[in-house]
Amino acid sequence: MKKSFDFSAEALASLAQADAARALAEDIGTGDLTAGLIDPARQARAQVMARESAVICGSAWVEATVLQLDPQARLVWHVKDGGRCEAGQVV
């Protein structure tokens, strides 16, 4: 019998970590030349705004990717995974 996938938060986080690492290795490889133009001490703030009504999903992958790039980054979700948002809403 085929074993079903483990949908626990821990299993999804582990899968997201591996996927993010693989994607970053492919996209960035040994480095991003343009990123070298930005002072590493510089801080930024951003908001992600929905362009249309949607259901939010994939937060584990967003967090895994951002935190692999900067372990001190802080993400604040205004809409949880599986939650609905409207156009113009900060997610």
Side-chain angles (χ1 to χ4, degrees):
M1 180 173 200
K2 187 176 180 180
K3 186 177 179 182
S4 63
F5 185 77
D6 179 1
F7 287 98
S8 68
E10 296 80 20
L12 289 177
S14 178
L15 179 60
Q17 289 285 336
D19 288 347
R22 225 178 0 263
L24 289 171
E26 178 183 323
D27 291 345
I28 298 174
T30 58
D32 180 353
L33 295 176
T34 56
L37 301 173
I38 301 170
D39 178 1
R42 186 173 179 120
Q43 293 186 356
R45 178 180 217 137
Q47 291 183 330
V48 176
M49 186 178 296
R51 290 190 290 181
E52 58 189 50
S53 297
V55 174
I56 300 303
C57 64
S59 62
W61 281 262
V62 172
E63 290 181 15
T65 303
V66 170
L67 293 174
Q68 284 183 41
L69 292 170
D70 182 358
Q72 294 185 5
R74 188 174 69 110
L75 288 92
V76 177
W77 292 96
H78 297 278
V79 180
K80 294 184 186 271
D81 237 33
R84 294 186 177 278
C85 67
E86 298 302 321
Q89 183 178 353
V90 175
V91 297

